[in-house]
Amino acid sequence: MGRICFSLLVAAVAFGGFGLSAKAEDSPEIPPMVTLPDGSKTQEGATDEDGKWMLPDGTITYHVNKDGGLDWYSYSGFKRYHDVGGCQQCHGPAGQGSTYAPGLMDSLKTMDFGTFLGTVASGRSRKQGATEYVMPALGDNKNVMCYIEDIYAYLRARSQYAVSVYRPNARIRDPKPEQAKMHEKECFE
Ligand code: HEC
């Protein structure tokens, strides 16, 4: 596991959400979607840090530019979510859920990043009657963990209806920031 992935896991523990669902009363407020003066959309209080939109508490979020294109991270999250063998297989297209697994666009209406990260890294399972519902532990899967913030940003956008269920338009998305290239390189080292 690369350095970055490891530090993400440490962050999960620090957030106190390692594999445990936060109780409703513990959930921090999730800032609503706002329209900025240039007509673009993001979460209230978010700022642009070199192409990465961040909330004051350090949580990544989405940005839909004035042309309706996504920031790089959310766009990348869309791709990773729908990758072969990825989340989409169980959680349905665009985070809408399936008979087997919950709709993550609903989960992210309240789920903070630490809880999300912890659940994806450690997995979870539940038996109901003869069926066992299994969320696999993906903490060792770099194709997931190196892009976990991206996936979160995309699902947050879905949770606030900032993006539709359709494939985002690649021609109007923001370019890939240098920071994202560096993170990728370090994470896969
Ligand atoms: C093999 C099927 C499967 C795959 C692949 C899968 N999940 Fe899950 N996931 C589940 C199931 C089933 C649950 C519910 C488990 C339970 O009921 O405790 C779940 C639960 C979750 C939860 C908790 C949701 C909530 O509301 O509490 C999150 C977050 C999550 N998955 C994220 C992901 C992400 C992100 C990916 C892709 C990187 C992914 N999952 C891939 C089956 C899957």
Side-chain angles (χ1 to χ4, degrees):
M1 189 177 293
R3 249 179 312 130
I4 301 290
C5 301
F6 179 71
S7 59
L8 275 171
L9 291 179
V10 171
V13 175
F15 269 106
F18 206 76
L20 301 168
S21 287
K23 288 187 210 72
E25 61 265 31
D26 297 334
S27 302
E29 279 283 303
I30 305 286
M33 182 172 77
V34 289
T35 303
L36 301 180
D38 68 353
S40 67
K41 294 188 167 78
T42 186
Q43 275 186 278
E44 190 172 61
T47 50
D48 180 3
E49 295 183 12
D50 299 321
K52 189 174 187 179
W53 285 73
M54 303 294 285
L55 292 170
D57 70 357
T59 305
I60 191 167
T61 186
Y62 62 87
H63 180 252
V64 183
N65 66 36
K66 60 177 176 11
D67 300 322
L70 282 178
D71 66 283
W72 167 261
Y73 294 92
S74 307
Y75 181 82
S76 157
F78 164 85
K79 287 205 302 185
R80 301 290 160 186
Y81 179 90
H82 293 92
D83 246 6
V84 178
C87 329
Q88 178 244 327
Q89 217 168 42
C90 294
H91 291 279
Q96 297 175 103
S98 70
T99 51
Y100 186 69
L104 296 179
M105 64 176 289
D106 294 323
S107 305
L108 263 76
K109 289 188 162 85
T110 52
M111 187 179 279
D112 63 273
F113 181 69
T115 308
F116 178 80
L117 174 60
T119 308
V120 177
S122 326
R124 216 170 79 185
S125 71
R126 177 175 57 91
K127 246 187 121 129
Q128 195 177 316
T131 311
E132 187 160 20
Y133 296 88
V134 180
M135 167 66 209
L138 299 171
D140 287 337
N141 185 337
K142 289 192 177 188
N143 286 313
V144 171
M145 297 314 284
C146 291
Y147 303 104
I148 197 68
E149 281 194 297
D150 310 31
I151 297 172
Y152 188 78
Y154 168 68
L155 290 170
R156 173 51 46 74
R158 285 289 301 132
S159 80
Q160 302 196 332
Y161 303 97
V163 289
S164 75
V165 299
Y166 301 110
R167 167 177 286 272
N169 189 337
R171 275 169 307 172
I172 51 175
R173 68 159 167 76
D174 293 343
K176 186 172 185 174
E178 277 309 312
Q179 202 192 151
K181 293 180 195 164
M182 268 170 48
H183 165 74
E184 208 165 30
K185 197 161 157 273
E186 283 176 8
C187 195
F188 279 96
E189 236 165 42

